[in-house]
PDB file of all heavy atoms in Angstrom:
ATOM      1  N   LEU A  25    -139.949 -34.809-109.548  1.00  0.00           N
ATOM      2  CA  LEU A  25    -139.686 -36.015-110.344  1.00  0.00           C
ATOM      3  C   LEU A  25    -140.980 -36.574-110.941  1.00  0.00           C
ATOM      4  O   LEU A  25    -141.013 -36.996-112.100  1.00  0.00           O
ATOM      5  CB  LEU A  25    -138.996 -37.078-109.484  1.00  0.00           C
ATOM      6  CG  LEU A  25    -137.560 -36.779-109.087  1.00  0.00           C
ATOM      7  CD1 LEU A  25    -137.075 -37.765-108.028  1.00  0.00           C
ATOM      8  CD2 LEU A  25    -136.648 -36.813-110.317  1.00  0.00           C
ATOM      9  N   ARG A  26    -142.050 -36.575-110.141  1.00  0.00           N
ATOM     10  CA  ARG A  26    -143.337 -37.061-110.640  1.00  0.00           C
ATOM     11  C   ARG A  26    -143.829 -36.178-111.781  1.00  0.00           C
ATOM     12  O   ARG A  26    -144.260 -36.666-112.828  1.00  0.00           O
ATOM     13  CB  ARG A  26    -144.375 -37.092-109.512  1.00  0.00           C
ATOM     14  CG  ARG A  26    -145.758 -37.535-109.999  1.00  0.00           C
ATOM     15  CD  ARG A  26    -146.796 -37.517-108.918  1.00  0.00           C
ATOM     16  NE  ARG A  26    -146.902 -36.283-108.170  1.00  0.00           N
ATOM     17  CZ  ARG A  26    -147.481 -35.157-108.625  1.00  0.00           C
ATOM     18  NH1 ARG A  26    -147.992 -35.109-109.839  1.00  0.00           N
ATOM     19  NH2 ARG A  26    -147.551 -34.089-107.858  1.00  0.00           N
ATOM     20  N   GLU A  27    -143.746 -34.882-111.601  1.00  0.00           N
ATOM     21  CA  GLU A  27    -144.201 -33.950-112.633  1.00  0.00           C
ATOM     22  C   GLU A  27    -143.360 -34.062-113.897  1.00  0.00           C
ATOM     23  O   GLU A  27    -143.886 -33.929-115.013  1.00  0.00           O
ATOM     24  CB  GLU A  27    -144.187 -32.521-112.089  1.00  0.00           C
ATOM     25  CG  GLU A  27    -145.264 -32.288-111.036  1.00  0.00           C
ATOM     26  CD  GLU A  27    -145.124 -30.967-110.291  1.00  0.00           C
ATOM     27  OE1 GLU A  27    -144.064 -30.290-110.430  1.00  0.00           O
ATOM     28  OE2 GLU A  27    -146.062 -30.611-109.555  1.00  0.00           O
ATOM     29  N   ARG A  28    -142.051 -34.309-113.738  1.00  0.00           N
ATOM     30  CA  ARG A  28    -141.172 -34.482-114.890  1.00  0.00           C
ATOM     31  C   ARG A  28    -141.597 -35.695-115.720  1.00  0.00           C
ATOM     32  O   ARG A  28    -141.428 -35.715-116.931  1.00  0.00           O
ATOM     33  CB  ARG A  28    -139.723 -34.632-114.420  1.00  0.00           C
ATOM     34  CG  ARG A  28    -138.729 -34.490-115.555  1.00  0.00           C
ATOM     35  CD  ARG A  28    -137.289 -34.474-115.079  1.00  0.00           C
ATOM     36  NE  ARG A  28    -137.060 -33.338-114.198  1.00  0.00           N
ATOM     37  CZ  ARG A  28    -136.292 -33.374-113.108  1.00  0.00           C
ATOM     38  NH1 ARG A  28    -135.669 -34.479-112.771  1.00  0.00           N
ATOM     39  NH2 ARG A  28    -136.131 -32.312-112.363  1.00  0.00           N
ATOM     40  N   LYS A  29    -142.152 -36.698-115.057  1.00  0.00           N
ATOM     41  CA  LYS A  29    -142.662 -37.891-115.743  1.00  0.00           C
ATOM     42  C   LYS A  29    -144.086 -37.676-116.254  1.00  0.00           C
ATOM     43  O   LYS A  29    -144.690 -38.585-116.813  1.00  0.00           O
ATOM     44  CB  LYS A  29    -142.644 -39.107-114.811  1.00  0.00           C
ATOM     45  CG  LYS A  29    -141.286 -39.711-114.636  1.00  0.00           C
ATOM     46  CD  LYS A  29    -140.865 -40.297-115.959  1.00  0.00           C
ATOM     47  CE  LYS A  29    -139.626 -41.130-115.847  1.00  0.00           C
ATOM     48  NZ  LYS A  29    -139.197 -41.602-117.156  1.00  0.00           N
ATOM     49  N   ALA A  30    -144.618 -36.476-116.053  1.00  0.00           N
ATOM     50  CA  ALA A  30    -145.968 -36.109-116.487  1.00  0.00           C
ATOM     51  C   ALA A  30    -147.027 -37.029-115.884  1.00  0.00           C
ATOM     52  O   ALA A  30    -147.970 -37.429-116.553  1.00  0.00           O
ATOM     53  CB  ALA A  30    -146.059 -36.075-118.014  1.00  0.00           C
ATOM     54  N   LEU A  31    -146.849 -37.349-114.610  1.00  0.00           N
ATOM     55  CA  LEU A  31    -147.812 -38.182-113.892  1.00  0.00           C
ATOM     56  C   LEU A  31    -148.592 -37.331-112.907  1.00  0.00           C
ATOM     57  O   LEU A  31    -148.032 -36.447-112.259  1.00  0.00           O
ATOM     58  CB  LEU A  31    -147.090 -39.292-113.113  1.00  0.00           C
ATOM     59  CG  LEU A  31    -146.343 -40.349-113.910  1.00  0.00           C
ATOM     60  CD1 LEU A  31    -145.510 -41.228-112.977  1.00  0.00           C
ATOM     61  CD2 LEU A  31    -147.318 -41.195-114.709  1.00  0.00           C
ATOM     62  N   THR A  32    -149.867 -37.612-112.763  1.00  0.00           N
ATOM     63  CA  THR A  32    -150.656 -36.988-111.709  1.00  0.00           C
ATOM     64  C   THR A  32    -150.402 -37.776-110.426  1.00  0.00           C
ATOM     65  O   THR A  32    -149.863 -38.893-110.465  1.00  0.00           O
ATOM     66  CB  THR A  32    -152.160 -37.028-112.035  1.00  0.00           C
ATOM     67  OG1 THR A  32    -152.580 -38.394-112.055  1.00  0.00           O
ATOM     68  CG2 THR A  32    -152.468 -36.340-113.365  1.00  0.00           C
ATOM     69  N   ILE A  33    -150.821 -37.219-109.305  1.00  0.00           N
ATOM     70  CA  ILE A  33    -150.696 -37.947-108.040  1.00  0.00           C
ATOM     71  C   ILE A  33    -151.476 -39.250-108.123  1.00  0.00           C
ATOM     72  O   ILE A  33    -151.005 -40.300-107.670  1.00  0.00           O
ATOM     73  CB  ILE A  33    -151.195 -37.078-106.855  1.00  0.00           C
ATOM     74  CG1 ILE A  33    -150.196 -35.964-106.577  1.00  0.00           C
ATOM     75  CG2 ILE A  33    -151.400 -37.926-105.608  1.00  0.00           C
ATOM     76  CD1 ILE A  33    -150.592 -35.050-105.432  1.00  0.00           C
ATOM     77  N   GLU A  34    -152.646 -39.191-108.716  1.00  0.00           N
ATOM     78  CA  GLU A  34    -153.485 -40.380-108.839  1.00  0.00           C
ATOM     79  C   GLU A  34    -152.797 -41.466-109.659  1.00  0.00           C
ATOM     80  O   GLU A  34    -152.822 -42.651-109.298  1.00  0.00           O
ATOM     81  CB  GLU A  34    -154.840 -40.020-109.480  1.00  0.00           C
ATOM     82  CG  GLU A  34    -155.724 -39.130-108.628  1.00  0.00           C
ATOM     83  CD  GLU A  34    -155.342 -37.635-108.670  1.00  0.00           C
ATOM     84  OE1 GLU A  34    -154.509 -37.219-109.518  1.00  0.00           O
ATOM     85  OE2 GLU A  34    -155.869 -36.898-107.820  1.00  0.00           O
ATOM     86  N   GLU A  35    -152.167 -41.078-110.787  1.00  0.00           N
ATOM     87  CA  GLU A  35    -151.481 -42.056-111.646  1.00  0.00           C
ATOM     88  C   GLU A  35    -150.282 -42.672-110.929  1.00  0.00           C
ATOM     89  O   GLU A  35    -150.072 -43.886-110.994  1.00  0.00           O
ATOM     90  CB  GLU A  35    -151.033 -41.385-112.945  1.00  0.00           C
ATOM     91  CG  GLU A  35    -152.183 -40.997-113.854  1.00  0.00           C
ATOM     92  CD  GLU A  35    -151.750 -40.081-114.987  1.00  0.00           C
ATOM     93  OE1 GLU A  35    -150.753 -39.325-114.833  1.00  0.00           O
ATOM     94  OE2 GLU A  35    -152.420 -40.107-116.030  1.00  0.00           O
ATOM     95  N   ALA A  36    -149.503 -41.824-110.238  1.00  0.00           N
ATOM     96  CA  ALA A  36    -148.337 -42.339-109.503  1.00  0.00           C
ATOM     97  C   ALA A  36    -148.788 -43.315-108.420  1.00  0.00           C
ATOM     98  O   ALA A  36    -148.211 -44.394-108.265  1.00  0.00           O
ATOM     99  CB  ALA A  36    -147.536 -41.187-108.903  1.00  0.00           C
ATOM    100  N   ALA A  37    -149.824 -42.942-107.688  1.00  0.00           N
ATOM    101  CA  ALA A  37    -150.340 -43.799-106.612  1.00  0.00           C
ATOM    102  C   ALA A  37    -150.805 -45.142-107.167  1.00  0.00           C
ATOM    103  O   ALA A  37    -150.495 -46.202-106.608  1.00  0.00           O
ATOM    104  CB  ALA A  37    -151.483 -43.099-105.881  1.00  0.00           C
ATOM    105  N   GLU A  38    -151.518 -45.104-108.266  1.00  0.00           N
ATOM    106  CA  GLU A  38    -152.017 -46.348-108.872  1.00  0.00           C
ATOM    107  C   GLU A  38    -150.870 -47.245-109.318  1.00  0.00           C
ATOM    108  O   GLU A  38    -150.892 -48.454-109.082  1.00  0.00           O
ATOM    109  CB  GLU A  38    -152.914 -46.003-110.065  1.00  0.00           C
ATOM    110  CG  GLU A  38    -153.547 -47.225-110.708  1.00  0.00           C
ATOM    111  CD  GLU A  38    -154.441 -46.848-111.881  1.00  0.00           C
ATOM    112  OE1 GLU A  38    -155.138 -45.816-111.794  1.00  0.00           O
ATOM    113  OE2 GLU A  38    -154.426 -47.605-112.876  1.00  0.00           O
ATOM    114  N   ARG A  39    -149.846 -46.663-109.909  1.00  0.00           N
ATOM    115  CA  ARG A  39    -148.723 -47.466-110.425  1.00  0.00           C
ATOM    116  C   ARG A  39    -147.891 -48.118-109.326  1.00  0.00           C
ATOM    117  O   ARG A  39    -147.276 -49.155-109.567  1.00  0.00           O
ATOM    118  CB  ARG A  39    -147.842 -46.613-111.324  1.00  0.00           C
ATOM    119  CG  ARG A  39    -148.555 -46.254-112.621  1.00  0.00           C
ATOM    120  CD  ARG A  39    -147.627 -45.622-113.600  1.00  0.00           C
ATOM    121  NE  ARG A  39    -148.383 -45.151-114.758  1.00  0.00           N
ATOM    122  CZ  ARG A  39    -147.817 -44.555-115.781  1.00  0.00           C
ATOM    123  NH1 ARG A  39    -146.510 -44.360-115.814  1.00  0.00           N
ATOM    124  NH2 ARG A  39    -148.559 -44.150-116.779  1.00  0.00           N
ATOM    125  N   VAL A  40    -147.835 -47.501-108.146  1.00  0.00           N
ATOM    126  CA  VAL A  40    -147.080 -48.130-107.046  1.00  0.00           C
ATOM    127  C   VAL A  40    -147.995 -48.859-106.065  1.00  0.00           C
ATOM    128  O   VAL A  40    -147.529 -49.438-105.091  1.00  0.00           O
ATOM    129  CB  VAL A  40    -146.177 -47.112-106.293  1.00  0.00           C
ATOM    130  CG1 VAL A  40    -145.058 -46.610-107.199  1.00  0.00           C
ATOM    131  CG2 VAL A  40    -146.975 -45.973-105.713  1.00  0.00           C
ATOM    132  N   GLY A  41    -149.307 -48.795-106.316  1.00  0.00           N
ATOM    133  CA  GLY A  41    -150.251 -49.528-105.482  1.00  0.00           C
ATOM    134  C   GLY A  41    -150.557 -48.872-104.140  1.00  0.00           C
ATOM    135  O   GLY A  41    -150.831 -49.562-103.161  1.00  0.00           O
ATOM    136  N   TRP A  42    -150.506 -47.557-104.112  1.00  0.00           N
ATOM    137  CA  TRP A  42    -150.787 -46.814-102.890  1.00  0.00           C
ATOM    138  C   TRP A  42    -152.047 -45.993-103.070  1.00  0.00           C
ATOM    139  O   TRP A  42    -152.537 -45.814-104.180  1.00  0.00           O
ATOM    140  CB  TRP A  42    -149.650 -45.846-102.553  1.00  0.00           C
ATOM    141  CG  TRP A  42    -148.318 -46.448-102.298  1.00  0.00           C
ATOM    142  CD1 TRP A  42    -148.031 -47.752-102.019  1.00  0.00           C
ATOM    143  CD2 TRP A  42    -147.073 -45.760-102.298  1.00  0.00           C
ATOM    144  NE1 TRP A  42    -146.694 -47.913-101.841  1.00  0.00           N
ATOM    145  CE2 TRP A  42    -146.068 -46.707-102.001  1.00  0.00           C
ATOM    146  CE3 TRP A  42    -146.701 -44.446-102.516  1.00  0.00           C
ATOM    147  CZ2 TRP A  42    -144.727 -46.379-101.919  1.00  0.00           C
ATOM    148  CZ3 TRP A  42    -145.371 -44.106-102.432  1.00  0.00           C
ATOM    149  CH2 TRP A  42    -144.395 -45.064-102.133  1.00  0.00           C
ATOM    150  N   SER A  43    -152.495 -45.417-101.975  1.00  0.00           N
ATOM    151  CA  SER A  43    -153.609 -44.475-102.069  1.00  0.00           C
ATOM    152  C   SER A  43    -153.069 -43.123-102.534  1.00  0.00           C
ATOM    153  O   SER A  43    -151.889 -42.805-102.339  1.00  0.00           O
ATOM    154  CB  SER A  43    -154.289 -44.311-100.707  1.00  0.00           C
ATOM    155  OG  SER A  43    -153.432 -43.618 -99.812  1.00  0.00           O
ATOM    156  N   THR A  44    -153.954 -42.363-103.130  1.00  0.00           N
ATOM    157  CA  THR A  44    -153.593 -41.001-103.541  1.00  0.00           C
ATOM    158  C   THR A  44    -153.177 -40.181-102.321  1.00  0.00           C
ATOM    159  O   THR A  44    -152.238 -39.381-102.385  1.00  0.00           O
ATOM    160  CB  THR A  44    -154.788 -40.338-104.251  1.00  0.00           C
ATOM    161  OG1 THR A  44    -155.149 -41.152-105.371  1.00  0.00           O
ATOM    162  CG2 THR A  44    -154.457 -38.947-104.732  1.00  0.00           C
ATOM    163  N   ALA A  45    -153.864 -40.405-101.204  1.00  0.00           N
ATOM    164  CA  ALA A  45    -153.560 -39.660 -99.981  1.00  0.00           C
ATOM    165  C   ALA A  45    -152.129 -39.907 -99.518  1.00  0.00           C
ATOM    166  O   ALA A  45    -151.452 -38.982 -99.058  1.00  0.00           O
ATOM    167  CB  ALA A  45    -154.541 -40.045 -98.885  1.00  0.00           C
ATOM    168  N   LYS A  46    -151.648 -41.138 -99.646  1.00  0.00           N
ATOM    169  CA  LYS A  46    -150.285 -41.445 -99.211  1.00  0.00           C
ATOM    170  C   LYS A  46    -149.267 -40.659-100.033  1.00  0.00           C
ATOM    171  O   LYS A  46    -148.347 -40.044 -99.479  1.00  0.00           O
ATOM    172  CB  LYS A  46    -150.004 -42.947 -99.314  1.00  0.00           C
ATOM    173  CG  LYS A  46    -148.594 -43.318 -98.897  1.00  0.00           C
ATOM    174  CD  LYS A  46    -148.379 -44.817 -98.881  1.00  0.00           C
ATOM    175  CE  LYS A  46    -146.952 -45.154 -98.457  1.00  0.00           C
ATOM    176  NZ  LYS A  46    -146.762 -46.606 -98.302  1.00  0.00           N
ATOM    177  N   VAL A  47    -149.424 -40.663-101.331  1.00  0.00           N
ATOM    178  CA  VAL A  47    -148.496 -39.916-102.187  1.00  0.00           C
ATOM    179  C   VAL A  47    -148.578 -38.425-101.861  1.00  0.00           C
ATOM    180  O   VAL A  47    -147.558 -37.752-101.744  1.00  0.00           O
ATOM    181  CB  VAL A  47    -148.791 -40.172-103.683  1.00  0.00           C
ATOM    182  CG1 VAL A  47    -147.886 -39.315-104.571  1.00  0.00           C
ATOM    183  CG2 VAL A  47    -148.617 -41.649-104.023  1.00  0.00           C
ATOM    184  N   SER A  48    -149.781 -37.929-101.685  1.00  0.00           N
ATOM    185  CA  SER A  48    -149.962 -36.517-101.358  1.00  0.00           C
ATOM    186  C   SER A  48    -149.289 -36.156-100.039  1.00  0.00           C
ATOM    187  O   SER A  48    -148.599 -35.134 -99.946  1.00  0.00           O
ATOM    188  CB  SER A  48    -151.459 -36.193-101.290  1.00  0.00           C
ATOM    189  OG  SER A  48    -151.645 -34.863-100.887  1.00  0.00           O
ATOM    190  N   ARG A  49    -149.462 -36.994 -99.018  1.00  0.00           N
ATOM    191  CA  ARG A  49    -148.860 -36.699 -97.711  1.00  0.00           C
ATOM    192  C   ARG A  49    -147.331 -36.722 -97.796  1.00  0.00           C
ATOM    193  O   ARG A  49    -146.659 -35.935 -97.130  1.00  0.00           O
ATOM    194  CB  ARG A  49    -149.356 -37.687 -96.660  1.00  0.00           C
ATOM    195  CG  ARG A  49    -150.777 -37.413 -96.200  1.00  0.00           C
ATOM    196  CD  ARG A  49    -151.166 -38.230 -94.984  1.00  0.00           C
ATOM    197  NE  ARG A  49    -150.961 -39.659 -95.153  1.00  0.00           N
ATOM    198  CZ  ARG A  49    -151.888 -40.523 -95.565  1.00  0.00           C
ATOM    199  NH1 ARG A  49    -153.103 -40.095 -95.860  1.00  0.00           N
ATOM    200  NH2 ARG A  49    -151.603 -41.801 -95.681  1.00  0.00           N
ATOM    201  N   ILE A  50    -146.781 -37.611 -98.618  1.00  0.00           N
ATOM    202  CA  ILE A  50    -145.324 -37.661 -98.794  1.00  0.00           C
ATOM    203  C   ILE A  50    -144.849 -36.398 -99.514  1.00  0.00           C
ATOM    204  O   ILE A  50    -143.874 -35.764 -99.107  1.00  0.00           O
ATOM    205  CB  ILE A  50    -144.905 -38.935 -99.558  1.00  0.00           C
ATOM    206  CG1 ILE A  50    -145.106 -40.168 -98.680  1.00  0.00           C
ATOM    207  CG2 ILE A  50    -143.454 -38.834-100.028  1.00  0.00           C
ATOM    208  CD1 ILE A  50    -144.982 -41.500 -99.421  1.00  0.00           C
ATOM    209  N   GLU A  51    -145.553 -36.015-100.574  1.00  0.00           N
ATOM    210  CA  GLU A  51    -145.135 -34.853-101.370  1.00  0.00           C
ATOM    211  C   GLU A  51    -145.365 -33.518-100.659  1.00  0.00           C
ATOM    212  O   GLU A  51    -144.780 -32.514-101.041  1.00  0.00           O
ATOM    213  CB  GLU A  51    -145.856 -34.847-102.719  1.00  0.00           C
ATOM    214  CG  GLU A  51    -145.342 -35.903-103.663  1.00  0.00           C
ATOM    215  CD  GLU A  51    -145.915 -35.752-105.070  1.00  0.00           C
ATOM    216  OE1 GLU A  51    -146.678 -34.804-105.331  1.00  0.00           O
ATOM    217  OE2 GLU A  51    -145.570 -36.602-105.909  1.00  0.00           O
ATOM    218  N   THR A  52    -146.205 -33.504 -99.658  1.00  0.00           N
ATOM    219  CA  THR A  52    -146.398 -32.269 -98.889  1.00  0.00           C
ATOM    220  C   THR A  52    -145.607 -32.301 -97.588  1.00  0.00           C
ATOM    221  O   THR A  52    -145.734 -31.404 -96.758  1.00  0.00           O
ATOM    222  CB  THR A  52    -147.895 -32.035 -98.582  1.00  0.00           C
ATOM    223  OG1 THR A  52    -148.404 -33.171 -97.889  1.00  0.00           O
ATOM    224  CG2 THR A  52    -148.676 -31.756 -99.844  1.00  0.00           C
ATOM    225  N   ALA A  53    -144.820 -33.353 -97.397  1.00  0.00           N
ATOM    226  CA  ALA A  53    -143.950 -33.522 -96.228  1.00  0.00           C
ATOM    227  C   ALA A  53    -144.733 -33.677 -94.933  1.00  0.00           C
ATOM    228  O   ALA A  53    -144.195 -33.462 -93.860  1.00  0.00           O
ATOM    229  CB  ALA A  53    -142.936 -32.380 -96.123  1.00  0.00           C
ATOM    230  N   ARG A  54    -145.996 -34.056 -95.037  1.00  0.00           N
ATOM    231  CA  ARG A  54    -146.773 -34.290 -93.812  1.00  0.00           C
ATOM    232  C   ARG A  54    -146.358 -35.586 -93.150  1.00  0.00           C
ATOM    233  O   ARG A  54    -146.539 -35.741 -91.943  1.00  0.00           O
ATOM    234  CB  ARG A  54    -148.269 -34.283 -94.128  1.00  0.00           C
ATOM    235  CG  ARG A  54    -148.712 -32.862 -94.443  1.00  0.00           C
ATOM    236  CD  ARG A  54    -150.189 -32.622 -94.589  1.00  0.00           C
ATOM    237  NE  ARG A  54    -151.084 -33.650 -94.184  1.00  0.00           N
ATOM    238  CZ  ARG A  54    -152.145 -34.043 -94.880  1.00  0.00           C
ATOM    239  NH1 ARG A  54    -152.394 -33.491 -96.043  1.00  0.00           N
ATOM    240  NH2 ARG A  54    -152.937 -34.973 -94.422  1.00  0.00           N
ATOM    241  N   VAL A  55    -145.818 -36.521 -93.928  1.00  0.00           N
ATOM    242  CA  VAL A  55    -145.274 -37.762 -93.382  1.00  0.00           C
ATOM    243  C   VAL A  55    -143.919 -38.008 -94.025  1.00  0.00           C
ATOM    244  O   VAL A  55    -143.641 -37.525 -95.116  1.00  0.00           O
ATOM    245  CB  VAL A  55    -146.198 -38.991 -93.631  1.00  0.00           C
ATOM    246  CG1 VAL A  55    -147.541 -38.811 -92.964  1.00  0.00           C
ATOM    247  CG2 VAL A  55    -146.359 -39.272 -95.110  1.00  0.00           C
ATOM    248  N   GLY A  56    -143.094 -38.774 -93.335  1.00  0.00           N
ATOM    249  CA  GLY A  56    -141.819 -39.176 -93.899  1.00  0.00           C
ATOM    250  C   GLY A  56    -142.028 -40.347 -94.846  1.00  0.00           C
ATOM    251  O   GLY A  56    -143.149 -40.811 -95.064  1.00  0.00           O
ATOM    252  N   ILE A  57    -140.939 -40.834 -95.401  1.00  0.00           N
ATOM    253  CA  ILE A  57    -141.010 -41.955 -96.328  1.00  0.00           C
ATOM    254  C   ILE A  57    -139.970 -42.987 -95.943  1.00  0.00           C
ATOM    255  O   ILE A  57    -138.849 -42.632 -95.565  1.00  0.00           O
ATOM    256  CB  ILE A  57    -140.832 -41.479 -97.793  1.00  0.00           C
ATOM    257  CG1 ILE A  57    -141.086 -42.634 -98.779  1.00  0.00           C
ATOM    258  CG2 ILE A  57    -139.473 -40.848 -98.007  1.00  0.00           C
ATOM    259  CD1 ILE A  57    -141.215 -42.176-100.219  1.00  0.00           C
ATOM    260  N   THR A  58    -140.354 -44.248 -95.998  1.00  0.00           N
ATOM    261  CA  THR A  58    -139.419 -45.324 -95.687  1.00  0.00           C
ATOM    262  C   THR A  58    -138.507 -45.556 -96.886  1.00  0.00           C
ATOM    263  O   THR A  58    -138.837 -45.178 -98.025  1.00  0.00           O
ATOM    264  CB  THR A  58    -140.163 -46.631 -95.370  1.00  0.00           C
ATOM    265  OG1 THR A  58    -140.857 -47.058 -96.553  1.00  0.00           O
ATOM    266  CG2 THR A  58    -141.137 -46.457 -94.205  1.00  0.00           C
ATOM    267  N   SER A  59    -137.401 -46.206 -96.634  1.00  0.00           N
ATOM    268  CA  SER A  59    -136.457 -46.498 -97.705  1.00  0.00           C
ATOM    269  C   SER A  59    -137.074 -47.373 -98.804  1.00  0.00           C
ATOM    270  O   SER A  59    -136.912 -47.068 -99.995  1.00  0.00           O
ATOM    271  CB  SER A  59    -135.200 -47.144 -97.118  1.00  0.00           C
ATOM    272  OG  SER A  59    -134.233 -47.313 -98.116  1.00  0.00           O
ATOM    273  N   PRO A  60    -137.808 -48.455 -98.456  1.00  0.00           N
ATOM    274  CA  PRO A  60    -138.431 -49.250 -99.523  1.00  0.00           C
ATOM    275  C   PRO A  60    -139.459 -48.460-100.341  1.00  0.00           C
ATOM    276  O   PRO A  60    -139.537 -48.613-101.564  1.00  0.00           O
ATOM    277  CB  PRO A  60    -139.107 -50.402 -98.774  1.00  0.00           C
ATOM    278  CG  PRO A  60    -138.411 -50.482 -97.459  1.00  0.00           C
ATOM    279  CD  PRO A  60    -137.970 -49.084 -97.149  1.00  0.00           C
TER     280      PRO A  60
END
Side-chain angles (χ1 to χ4, degrees):
L25 290 169
R26 177 182 52 76
E27 290 169 349
R28 193 173 298 142
K29 282 293 190 184
L31 295 171
T32 65
I33 288 180
E34 293 80 11
E35 291 168 332
E38 183 179 322
R39 291 190 187 180
V40 293
W42 299 343
S43 70
T44 302
K46 179 175 180 174
V47 176
S48 176
R49 285 191 306 266
I50 290 169
E51 287 189 2
T52 57
R54 289 188 12 224
V55 298
I57 187 168
T58 65
S59 186

